[in-house]
Amino acid sequence: MDKPFAITLDPGSSRANKTGSWRTERPVYVDLMPPCNHACPAGEDVQQWLYRAEDGGYESAWQQVMAANPLPAVMGRVCYRPCETACNRGQLDAAVGINSVERFLGDQAITAGWTVPVTAPDSGRHVLIVGAGPSGLSAAYHLRLLGHRVTIRDQAPRPGGMMRYGIPAYRLPRDVLDAEIDRILAMGVTFEQATVTDVRTAMAEGGFDAAFLAVGAQHGRRAYIPAGDSARILDAVTLLHATADGEPPQLGRRVAVYGGGNTAMDAARTARRLGAADAVVVYRRTRDRMPAHDVEVEEAADEGVRMMWLSTVAAADQGKLRIEKMRLDETGFPQPTGEFTELAADTLVLALGQESELSLLDGVPGITISDGVVQVGPDLMTGHPGIFAGGDMVPAERTVTVGIGHGQRAARGIDAWLTEDHEQGNEADRASAVGTAAAEPRLADFSRLNTWYYSDAPATVRPQLDAARRISTFHEVTSGLSETTALFEARRCLSCGNCFECDNCYGVCPDNAVIKLGSGQRYQIDLDYCKGCGICAAECPCGAIDMIPERI
Amino acid sequence: MPTQPIKFYQVGSFAVGNRLLPDDQRSVQSEAARTNALNCGHRACQGCGEALGARYALDAAMRATGGQLIAVNATGCLEVFSTPYPETSWQIPWIHSLFGNAPAVATGIAAALRAKGRTDVRVVGQGGDGGTVDIGFACLSGMFERNDDVLFICYDNEAYMNTGVQRSAATPPAARTTTTPAVGPQPGNAFGQGKNAPLIAMAHEIGYVATATVAGLRDLERKVSRAMEFRGARYLHILVPCPLGWGSAPADTIKIARLAEQTGLFPVFEAAAGEVVSVSKIRRKAPVEDYLRLQTRYAHLFKDADGAATIARLQRMADRNIARFGLLDAGSPGAAQPATTSGEEGA
């Protein structure tokens, strides 16, 4: 006994007292589905690449974008940003400018010459892709990464599809498009200008193991409009294609565009650029029912495009259109009113939707075509084994983003199909390969967030940013972000539903029952001492902790 | 305040840590190797604000003094739940004597260290509001007026919680305790009683007086570090919500502390030589109802018209604090920037 005066016992640590036994609920770290990722038709892990961009790791962030989308600089310009519509920060101040960060990363990659290496061994399989639009290029890229040989055939002299022959250059400069397409071709993709008239013959002659069809929807839909001999009518697809070829048609000073989709906006804005003093969009319903995206409508209006709502073109003659006023019935369908007005127009451009040319599938057994599009399964395989289809020729929203997503999904489906045992018919495996069978994590909605912890986006910075996004130049309407503003935007991400290691749980635990595992390793609850108070879950900024009842 | 280009971080300095910040700008609590002055296994209730506040303050003091620290504890929850013989949760030199004499014991230890020439070792005295504002008050006032070299920290949970929630001189008006029950014409604690210990400390014109809450970790750590730059008497008053005594959900401890500050009921400021030198501005102003409604000690206020009148009276108290300490930035809609600390957003 060598102890100080009046001391009979060594002091013991309170660690002997396992307060975890008090607990009725335990904190559990969760990883939820952020709304941006959930909304992305191209399947990007948006939150993850923003996370990598936050500390300036732009190449790493770009590689993460490329895991899903091989055309970031294109998408950073033409995507309609469903991610930003879904972004939880929109409920706090304004949505994170995801699209502008993606564009910044895409442009950085082009400047720096970043590439994605093909590391998979050659599978010995060869896939035919028909159509070099976003779906076809995306599928080619993903199939190359999986080790398959790829040949793309397109009837146009250059790859790009609607990105080259539909989307006007003021939205998508062609040098950017070329740079991104060239990067895909340089991965070993063969491009051939050829018209595929019969897909089975082409597959047999070329020795292809599978085919992905992505021929798009190239034909402008016509409507019967009584027209005088000298009335000038053309369709929007033709107008945009001819303009892209550098041979724009003569439109005159007054141009009417009939239709309410994005193509109608592109046509009207192109008409303005081709010298039309007056470009009018004639649409039979109202603005809120218009299929065109808001950003397109706003930019068109900014450029002086006029809108005529609740109107149809009843007849066309030289220099003028006969317009009938419409009204919406109870079901929201437009009905004629019998009231007519006249609209002065030198040219009528029809933008009434597009149809797919599907004759290459004539006589192929198992194919189902309804409403002018090819029916496919979740893995994008048609009813004919080994023939897949995607993009505008299958039932889906017709955007570049959806097309890119289809390309990736089809590539996974084709890869699974090429490697599976066809005798067994194991479709379930293919469904899981394309990710449709997997149970998606819960959505991280705004109510889970503790927004106190996020920095206010200072009011002094945001207007400058908005201006930077929207400066008009003659060539490209919207300019990109500088590095400073791109970094700022990336850091506005709330990381909804996924731990970003802010140390809050580690700091706020009154019982030191959260163990910090080190950078990138996140945290662990010390259940020997956790009393289950729930402060960690309440104070987690991004809602990445659930409180789960203990079984007692 | 000079304006400079803002380097924007996802969570700025509001969260405990931030992977984007340089190491020297991170909080003590974010460090894997923090002292954990108050260790696991202590017997504080679920969601105890005092356990949290004590670790925040003492870990910061340990960093500020390079680990050369002695803590003196008054009787109270903090003492009882941390040291049931023969166990201790303290991982620093720690001593407890009596309920009322913690400031005097701290003074004695400081004097002994001076006599031994150990000026590198610093002394912190600490206690709850009972041990500080009531029972230990004479010793505390003496420590102040002699300007003894002690930082005294009061963890204010606004009543005697350890003995069963009896009213103290720090209990706010209208709050129900077991000695101020919610009965009669003026239920709960009476208006016009009690004392404001930080203002009394300021009246001693000592070198440093500050208030803080467990909801403002960065602010709290900065104030402890600042206090350790001084010699002489210093006082830090930390609001620590008590789920047991306040009748609040354990998970709401930090939320309630934050609301105390954002409503204006608990002004967060620092003072030197009797003058207020800086205040933490309200960032998201909230009505007092938001704060009161989370606590059953105020439940009687939400039952009738008299209660509504009392709430209005408490709102006037909050508004008076806002005006008196200048808690709102003129022209800002209740959304001021965080108090600029050591360059977190100014770097």
Side-chain angles (χ1 to χ4, degrees):
Chain A
M1 288 279 286
D2 185 22
K3 290 192 165 36
F5 173 72
I7 300 284
T8 54
L9 280 174
D10 283 322
S13 167
S14 62
R15 290 186 70 89
N17 184 32
K18 300 285 171 62
T19 53
S21 62
W22 303 11
R23 193 173 58 241
T24 58
E25 287 186 310
R26 72 166 64 183
V28 175
Y29 291 99
V30 292
D31 281 290
L32 304 183
M33 171 62 77
C36 47
N37 294 11
H38 184 69
C40 181
E44 290 186 26
D45 190 346
V46 174
Q47 189 183 78
Q48 181 61 35
W49 59 253
L50 284 173
Y51 182 86
R52 295 189 186 186
E54 279 159 23
D55 60 4
Y58 302 129
E59 183 167 3
S60 162
W62 179 81
Q63 292 286 357
Q64 179 68 49
V65 178
M66 293 293 283
N69 164 23
L71 303 164
V74 171
M75 298 292 286
R77 289 171 167 83
V78 304
C79 182
Y80 293 112
R81 318 171 193 172
C83 53
E84 295 185 22
T85 307
C87 176
N88 277 334
R89 183 136 201 159
Q91 297 178 54
L92 188 61
D93 40 41
V96 176
I98 297 168
N99 187 253
S100 44
V101 179
E102 182 174 31
R103 171 171 165 176
F104 169 78
L105 295 173
D107 289 353
Q108 288 280 307
I110 292 172
T111 310
W114 295 332
T115 56
V116 178
V118 178
T119 52
D122 188 356
S123 70
R125 303 301 187 100
H126 196 174
V127 180
L128 172 67
I129 294 176
V130 185
S135 295
L137 289 166
S138 168
Y141 165 83
H142 287 289
L143 285 166
R144 278 303 296 137
L145 290 181
L146 292 164
H148 305 298
R149 276 195 296 146
V150 179
T151 298
I152 309 183
R153 291 191 186 150
D154 194 295
Q155 58 190 4
R158 304 188 62 190
M162 277 296 179
M163 295 186 291
R164 184 179 303 280
Y165 298 108
I167 296 173
Y170 59 81
R171 281 176 57 204
L172 178 56
R174 296 304 186 249
D175 56 337
V176 173
L177 180 65
D178 289 341
E180 296 219 303
I181 292 177
D182 289 348
R183 193 171 56 217
I184 295 173
L185 298 182
M187 292 168 71
V189 174
T190 307
F191 175 79
E192 295 170 357
Q193 185 186 5
T195 303
V196 175
T197 51
D198 178 344
V199 64
R200 279 189 302 172
T201 310
M203 284 178 74
E205 286 174 356
F208 293 101
D209 299 291
F212 176 58
L213 311 182
V215 299
Q218 305 282 346
H219 295 293
R221 198 172 282 151
R222 306 298 290 225
Y224 174 70
I225 294 171
D229 293 341
S230 48
R232 181 161 167 67
I233 301 178
L234 72 162
D235 70 75
V237 181
T238 308
L239 166 65
L240 295 171
H241 198 298
T243 307
D245 278 341
E247 295 160 359
Q250 293 293 320
L251 296 174
R253 285 187 60 251
R254 299 160 304 180
V255 177
V257 178
Y258 191 20
N262 291 318
T263 308
M265 299 302 137
D266 285 346
R269 295 173 69 186
T270 299
R272 286 282 289 159
R273 285 171 172 73
L274 294 177
D278 189 21
V280 185
V281 171
V282 180
Y283 180 55
R284 60 193 185 134
R285 301 176 208 237
T286 48
R287 162 85 189 254
D288 54 322
R289 292 173 185 276
M290 199 177 210
H293 288 91
D294 284 345
V295 53
E296 287 258 36
V297 180
E298 282 159 21
E299 287 187 2
D302 288 348
E303 291 169 13
V305 172
R306 291 197 294 133
M307 311 283 169
M308 265 181 97
W309 309 115
L310 291 170
S311 304
T312 55
V313 179
D317 213 334
Q318 183 173 16
K320 62 177 191 262
L321 300 173
R322 194 168 148 78
I323 303 287
E324 179 166 13
K325 300 304 291 177
M326 307 295 279
R327 62 171 183 82
L328 295 183
D329 63 19
E330 308 78 52
T331 60
F333 200 79
Q335 299 291 350
T337 60
E339 291 172 46
F340 292 89
T341 56
E342 219 167 65
L343 175 67
D346 301 311
T347 305
L348 173 63
V349 179
L350 301 180
L352 301 169
Q354 287 123 253
E355 284 163 359
S356 298
E357 167 58 59
L358 300 176
S359 62
L360 80 170
L361 283 168
D362 284 351
V364 178
I367 300 287
T368 312
I369 296 172
S370 58
D371 296 331
V373 286
V374 177
Q375 303 302 303
V376 287
D379 56 353
L380 296 183
M381 190 156 88
T382 64
H384 187 94
I387 297 183
F388 294 70
D392 289 358
M393 66 182 281
V394 304
E397 198 193 353
R398 289 176 167 176
T399 67
V400 177
T401 323
V402 169
I404 288 175
H406 281 183
Q408 182 187 23
R409 188 145 37 114
R412 288 196 209 153
I414 290 168
D415 182 62
W417 188 80
L418 287 175
T419 50
E420 80 190 22
D421 182 350
H422 296 304
E423 306 298 310
Q424 297 289 320
N426 41 0
E427 244 176 59
D429 294 354
R430 225 180 311 140
S432 72
V434 298
T436 49
E440 229 177 44
R442 282 173 297 149
L443 196 64
D445 57 46
F446 187 75
S447 63
R448 290 187 67 92
L449 307 179
N450 188 337
T451 60
W452 170 265
Y453 290 102
Y454 297 104
S455 296
D456 303 309
T460 49
V461 180
R462 286 206 62 78
Q464 294 169 7
L465 208 64
D466 289 341
R469 285 180 186 150
R470 299 226 32 186
I471 288 168
S472 289
T473 62
F474 183 77
H475 297 292
E476 192 170 9
V477 170
T478 309
S479 62
L481 299 182
S482 70
E483 184 185 336
T484 318
T485 44
L487 196 66
F488 177 89
E489 273 307 308
R491 288 179 173 187
R492 292 181 66 239
C493 173
L494 306 179
S495 192
C496 308
N498 294 288
C499 175
F500 59 104
E501 295 186 42
C502 72
D503 293 334
N504 250 24
C505 51
Y506 175 65
V508 300
C509 177
D511 294 287
N512 307 343
V514 177
I515 301 164
K516 182 172 175 171
L517 299 175
S519 179
Q521 307 296 308
R522 298 187 174 180
Y523 313 89
Q524 185 185 326
I525 304 294
D526 187 344
L527 293 171
D528 281 350
Y529 300 102
C530 169
K531 293 171 184 166
C533 68
I535 295 182
C536 54
E539 302 303 321
C540 176
C542 63
I545 303 177
D546 271 347
M547 293 303 291
I548 308 291
E550 290 284 357
R551 272 179 300 214
I552 302 167
Chain B
M1 200 180 294
T3 53
Q4 45 190 322
I6 291 166
K7 199 161 183 185
F8 181 83
Y9 297 116
Q10 191 169 30
V11 285
S13 67
F14 297 114
V16 169
N18 187 333
R19 70 185 175 105
L20 303 170
L21 281 180
D23 284 344
D24 62 345
Q25 290 178 27
R26 297 189 183 194
S27 71
V28 177
Q29 286 303 311
S30 74
E31 291 173 4
R34 70 189 183 202
T35 305
N36 277 335
L38 182 66
N39 204 359
C40 311
H42 63 70
R43 288 157 162 81
C45 306
Q46 285 182 324
C48 176
E50 187 170 34
L52 194 56
R55 193 187 74 223
Y56 281 0
L58 292 179
D59 283 3
M62 284 291 281
R63 179 156 91 173
T65 59
Q68 300 290 70
L69 190 73
I70 296 174
V72 179
N73 218 126
T75 305
C77 278
L78 183 61
E79 171 260 323
V80 170
F81 74 61
S82 65
T83 51
Y85 185 77
E87 289 171 10
T88 179
S89 304
W90 297 103
Q91 307 205 87
I92 57 171
W94 180 90
I95 183 172
H96 165 243
S97 176
L98 299 174
F99 208 152
N101 69 354
V105 173
T107 292
I109 291 173
L113 290 167
R114 192 174 67 243
K116 297 184 79 171
R118 291 299 303 271
T119 51
D120 56 325
V121 182
R122 309 295 301 273
V123 182
V124 169
Q126 56 180 359
D129 50 295
T132 306
V133 181
D134 290 347
I135 298 174
F137 197 68
C139 295
L140 183 68
S141 182
M143 186 205 100
F144 285 161
E145 62 89 8
R146 293 185 304 268
N147 201 27
D148 294 324
D149 187 20
V150 174
L151 167 64
F152 198 89
I153 302 173
C154 172
Y155 304 107
D156 179 9
N157 57 19
E158 303 189 333
Y160 290 84
M161 299 312 186
N162 177 47
T163 48
V165 198
Q166 292 85 11
R167 174 201 175 276
S168 79
T171 302
R176 184 197 66 201
T177 67
T178 52
T179 48
T180 57
V183 294
Q186 281 195 317
N189 193 33
F191 279 84
Q193 300 184 359
K195 45 189 156 176
N196 187 322
L199 294 184
I200 297 171
M202 281 169 64
H204 290 77
E205 305 214 345
I206 56 176
Y208 190 73
V209 174
T211 64
T213 80
V214 286
L217 169 68
R218 294 302 202 104
D219 177 67
L220 192 161
E221 288 188 351
R222 187 181 58 79
K223 283 168 176 167
V224 171
S225 302
R226 180 86 182 112
M228 282 304 172
E229 293 169 6
F230 290 89
R231 295 279 170 173
R234 291 142 290 145
Y235 181 69
L236 181 59
H237 191 99
I238 304 174
L239 184 72
V240 292
C242 171
L244 175 79
W246 297 13
S248 55
D252 283 344
T253 294
I254 290 179
K255 181 181 184 183
I256 287 173
R258 183 155 60 233
L259 282 167
E261 183 176 349
Q262 299 302 310
T263 54
L265 282 171
F266 186 84
V268 178
F269 62 91
E270 55 186 342
E275 302 294 333
V276 173
V277 293
S278 82
V279 299
S280 295
K281 300 286 186 182
I282 289 175
R283 178 171 172 234
R284 294 185 189 170
K285 190 174 184 311
V288 294
E289 284 98 320
D290 289 6
Y291 171 74
L292 304 173
R293 207 177 272 282
L294 296 173
Q295 307 171 43
T296 59
R297 64 174 173 159
Y298 295 114
H300 56 280
L301 300 182
F302 294 94
K303 287 186 178 140
D304 54 24
D306 287 347
T310 306
I311 292 172
R313 200 168 169 188
L314 291 167
Q315 183 65 58
R316 286 197 295 277
M317 281 175 54
D319 293 343
R320 176 165 180 258
N321 282 338
I322 289 170
R324 185 178 185 183
F325 291 92
L327 299 178
L328 274 179
D329 263 336
S332 87
Q337 285 296 301
T340 313
T341 57
S342 53
E344 62 85 7
E345 300 207 316

